[in-house]
Amino acid sequence: MVAAADSRKDLTTIIHLTALRSVESSLSRLIQESGPELMEVLNALGDDAAMLVSLIGPNKGARFLLEPEVTHIGRATANEIFLDDVTVSRKHAQVAKSGKSYILTDLGSLNGTYLNGELVSEKSLADGDELQIGKFRMHFFKGGKVRA
């Protein structure tokens, strides 16, 4: 018995969802909602310092000072920034200080590293940038600025 050829065409398609981002409050509103203590901490950062701050998401309120020349981010406990979730690779990404600049580099992670909603392999960080690793979202803040 020979099966009849299916005359129907497959009407399914693939939608790439990585570019979709949820609508969030503006950065200044997120900082304001975090309370006056965060503003004090950000204003106290020196010219040569930087920090990642979780303003939304599962680790909201967490602050990570980017103190060493290279800060490793991942699921392994040996990382300076430990993100405990299966969506994060053991050695996911790093932030390296180069002079007065900070460079974000994906370390070959399975789910990728996103900067302002864009998949990146390596990119310079600017004040206010949003870094997403797995389900964790953090904002980058450079020191030496007065925020109101």
Side-chain angles (χ1 to χ4, degrees), residues 6-145:
D6 190 5
S7 61
R8 294 177 293 160
K9 297 204 188 254
D10 187 7
L11 300 177
T12 61
T13 187
I14 296 173
I15 299 172
H16 193 32
L17 298 175
T18 57
L20 296 178
R21 298 179 58 182
S22 62
V23 177
E24 294 290 343
S25 298
S26 70
L27 179 59
S28 59
R29 184 169 179 184
L30 288 171
I31 293 171
Q32 188 177 42
E33 289 172 356
S34 294
E37 182 186 346
L38 176 61
M39 192 66 71
E40 290 174 24
V41 169
L42 294 177
N43 286 336
L45 286 174
D47 289 341
D48 60 342
M51 180 177 279
L52 287 173
V53 179
S54 239
L55 298 174
I56 47 180
N59 63 342
K60 183 178 179 178
R63 296 183 290 221
F64 306 99
L65 186 60
L66 301 174
E67 202 167 29
E69 292 298 312
V70 178
T71 302
H72 297 91
I73 306 168
R75 190 167 34 104
T77 56
N79 291 297
E80 288 83 8
I81 298 178
F82 168 61
L83 301 175
D84 189 19
D85 189 72
V86 295
T87 61
V88 178
S89 296
R90 285 180 181 85
K91 294 179 180 178
H92 198 104
Q94 71 180 27
V95 177
K97 187 175 180 183
S98 176
K100 294 215 177 239
S101 299
Y102 289 82
I103 311 296
L104 170 66
T105 305
D106 182 85
L107 299 175
S109 66
L110 182 62
N111 292 319
T113 301
Y114 294 82
L115 188 61
N116 300 321
E118 176 186 330
L119 183 64
V120 296
S121 57
E122 184 172 290
K123 191 121 184 199
S124 287
L125 292 169
D127 192 65
D129 279 349
E130 181 188 80
L131 167 63
Q132 183 173 354
I133 293 178
K135 65 180 184 179
F136 298 95
R137 294 168 65 180
M138 298 167 276
H139 284 81
F140 173 79
F141 296 100
K142 193 146 171 35
K145 297 184 182 238

